[in-house]
Structure formats: structure tokens, C-alpha cells
Amino acid sequence: MPDLVPRQPDTTPAAYDAATLAVLAAMEKAADEHLDRIIPDNTKRGYANDWALWEEFHDWLAKRTGHRMPSAAVTRGNLVGFVVWLDTIKLAAPTSIDRRITGVTVTARGIGVEVAKAATVAARKALKPLKNDPERQARGRGKAAAVTPEQLRQMNAAVTDGLTGLRDRALWLMAFAIAGRSAEVAALRADTIVHVSQGLEVHVPAVKGRPPRDVVVGYGKNPDTCPVRAWLTWRAAAGISTGPAFLPITVHGHLGDRALSPEAVREIIARNAERAGLSVRLTGHSMRAGFITTSRRAGKREEKIREQSGHAENSPAFWGYIREADKWTDAASEDIGL
């Protein structure tokens, strides 16, 4: 008589022989390598920056708790704390915070850390009200504010003491003087910044497919905002002659051995502008925009400015900065008998 109760499928794990296990292991490895290859380079860079911020968050937390937790501790409490830190300390936009959560989670799982679903759910729950705040949503939007020499002086007056302050001042003044993108400033090398009698000869490396360029940075009239003096002071204090021009510094004042990330460059500029109490929020691009507009207002020729900034002759962004600098020069409404 046939069975009246349906038979349940056998859930006993299959026992594979050694040859099958070897092939399966090889396929697993090949799958991992393929999945890694198809991730776009900019996504990989983004994840690396997200993890660097996660590390910085743990350093910041260690100052307040007296204990440095392992970065692999991707827990519900830590991930929610990371969201709050990005919002209140870094003033990040909600969309940026959302991306950081993903970057940290993906990176952690990639190194074998088990991230509980409850942790990511809690982090995004903490993020939800931020996404409904128009002021927070506006963060990071629009054209970068162009920094002015007066604002650079304000930043100098508020700079912190010690090695970190020397690095920060040299970094933002160098970014301004070479009209550098954040990625270019991060890629600068100490051995290709050459001190000559007139100032500095700086090799700006190729980044993101853009060609390299060689620029000159003259001595400034104001010692407080002179990029040449700031660089020489930082170089001597840090004891660097080769390798990355700008290095991370630990909470205990020790130099790292790897270059700062572009994200770290942007954050150093924004943090120092905030400390100085500037009425506008500066970004990494503010130094580049500020150099172009300041140089133009000083009467410099377009081709000389473009040589410094690396803009193409037909760049809409470049000519936008020039128009901004020139808008009060021989204005159409000026001196017309009104």
C-alpha cells in the first residue's frame, strides 16, 4: 500500500569526495576573484574611504572612552554611533551617510566579519529622520564656495598647536597654491616638491585619468599664509624628504606611513574652516576655486591660471570661475549716469 504521508526531502548534507571538494573550493575562489574584478574602481575607492572614516570614528571614540575598540566591531551600537558622528561631527549629507553604511558593511563582510542585519537596520532607522530634514539634505549641494585670502588668514589664526596644526596649514595652503583637487593633494610626494630660491617647484601627479602637471609656487608676502614657509615648516617638523607629502597623525601624535585619502584632505579643510568660524562651509574644491578667482582678480592671465589648475582651454568650470572673478570688473551698470 502506498504511503499516505508525503516523504520529506533528505536534508542531510551531501558528503563530497576529495576531488569534488577541491573543484568546489577552486570555483569559490574563482567566483570571489570574478566578483572583485567587476566592481568598478571608483566603487572600490569609495569603500576604502568609507572604511578609513570608520577607523577615524573609532579613533575619535577612543579619545572619549579611553579604549580603542577593534575596527572589526561592526555592531548595532557602533553603527548607530557612526551615523550620529557623521551627521554631527562631519556634517555629512544623509545620502553620503547611507553610502558609508553600505561601504563599511561590505568591507567588513569582505574581511570575514559577520555583520548582523539588526545592526544595519538600526543604522538606517537612525538615518531616516535625517533624510527628512531639508537643511541636512542640502549639505554638499551646489558649487563649492571659493575661499578668499582673508578666510585663509582666519583659518591660520584658529589652527591647532603641534604637528597636526603644521600639517593642516601646509595642506590647505598647498591645495590653494597649486589649485589642487583633493585627490591631487593626497597624491603629492615630498620628493617632487623642490625648494628653489623663488619658492617651490611642485609636480602634481596624474589622478583619475587627468594628466600630470608641473607648477611653481612663489613665496607669499604674508608669512602666516605663505605656502612655501608652511610646507618647509611641516616638512622639517615631520622629518620627511620622500614618500607622501601629507601623512595621517594618530591621537598620540605619531605619524602614519601611508598617504592621506582624498576624503581625509577634504575633511581637514572643512574641519579647519569650521574651527575658524567661517560663515561658509568650505570643501576640498574651495581651495581650487579660490585660487582661480583670487589669481584672476589680481590680474593674472587666463592661460597662466590654467597652467596652474590644469583645466582644459574649453573647460566650462574654468570659465565659470573667471566670470565670477570678473563680474565687477567694468560692470555694465557702473558709471552709466544713474
Side-chain angles (χ1 to χ4, degrees):
M1 178 182 253
D3 293 334
L4 296 178
V5 179
R7 297 181 63 184
Q8 299 298 316
D10 187 1
T11 57
T12 305
Y16 298 122
D17 56 36
T20 301
L21 288 172
V23 173
L24 288 174
M27 292 299 290
E28 287 289 321
K29 182 181 179 183
D32 288 339
E33 292 172 350
H34 174 71
L35 292 173
D36 183 67
R37 277 196 304 272
I38 64 176
I39 297 174
D41 288 341
N42 61 340
T43 301
K44 291 180 181 179
R45 284 192 296 268
Y47 286 168
N49 289 336
D50 297 337
W51 192 257
L53 269 175
W54 178 250
E55 297 269 15
E56 186 182 340
F57 165 66
H58 278 70
D59 290 339
W60 175 87
L61 201 58
K63 289 181 181 179
R64 283 145 184 82
T65 64
H67 173 69
R68 177 51 157 89
M69 290 187 294
S71 300
V74 188
T75 65
R76 179 175 176 273
N78 272 2
L79 214 49
V80 170
F82 184 53
V83 169
V84 175
W85 179 76
L86 288 171
D87 173 52
T88 60
I89 303 299
K90 294 298 183 181
L91 302 179
T95 52
S96 176
I97 297 173
D98 201 349
R99 193 178 65 248
R100 304 290 186 205
I101 295 170
T102 300
V104 167
T105 304
V106 170
T107 304
R109 288 172 176 158
I111 60 176
V113 176
E114 185 175 345
V115 181
K117 183 179 179 180
T120 57
V121 168
R124 289 199 161 86
K125 186 176 181 180
L127 177 62
K128 188 174 181 179
L130 308 184
K131 288 186 171 182
N132 296 326
D133 184 338
E135 289 188 9
R136 285 182 167 93
Q137 288 284 23
R139 290 174 179 173
R141 293 181 182 174
K143 190 165 60 174
V147 71
T148 66
E150 173 57 31
Q151 289 170 335
L152 291 176
R153 287 190 284 273
Q154 288 178 252
M155 290 170 67
N156 174 72
V159 76
T160 59
D161 293 330
L163 199 59
T164 299
L166 295 179
R167 180 204 60 189
D168 290 1
R169 178 168 51 194
L171 182 148
W172 79 61
L173 288 173
M174 181 69 76
F176 182 88
I178 67 171
R181 303 172 177 90
S182 295
E184 292 171 342
V185 176
L188 290 175
R189 294 185 60 82
D191 42 309
T192 57
I193 301 175
V194 181
H195 184 213
V196 296
S197 59
Q198 301 96 324
L200 302 173
E201 295 178 349
V202 182
H203 176 71
V204 181
V207 297
K208 297 183 179 179
R210 298 182 179 94
R213 63 187 187 276
D214 294 299
V215 303
V216 295
V217 176
Y219 277 97
K221 292 182 179 180
N222 186 334
D224 291 337
T225 53
C226 171
V228 179
R229 295 180 180 90
W231 164 252
L232 295 177
T233 302
W234 154 247
R235 187 183 69 176
I240 56 174
S241 57
T242 60
F246 298 107
L247 298 164
I249 301 172
T250 69
V251 293
H252 302 296
H254 301 305
L255 283 175
D257 56 5
R258 293 186 297 175
L260 292 171
S261 68
E263 181 70 22
V265 170
R266 289 190 285 270
E267 287 168 1
I268 286 170
I269 292 169
R271 184 169 62 242
N272 280 268
E274 184 181 359
R275 182 183 295 118
L278 300 188
S279 57
V280 295
R281 184 169 185 263
L282 300 186
T283 69
H285 212 73
S286 294
M287 298 296 153
R288 182 168 168 81
F291 174 86
I292 295 169
T293 54
T294 300
S295 184
R296 178 63 173 179
R297 286 166 185 157
K300 305 299 181 181
R301 303 195 310 273
E302 292 101 331
E303 62 270 23
K304 297 295 287 186
I305 300 172
R306 282 194 294 102
E307 284 177 13
Q308 197 83 352
S309 68
H311 278 102
E313 186 174 357
N314 60 350
S315 166
F318 175 79
W319 290 107
Y321 293 133
I322 295 297
R323 285 193 295 273
E324 176 66 23
D326 286 351
K327 69 181 181 182
W328 282 103
T329 302
D330 193 25
S333 60
E334 181 183 9
D335 237 356
I336 59 173
L338 296 178

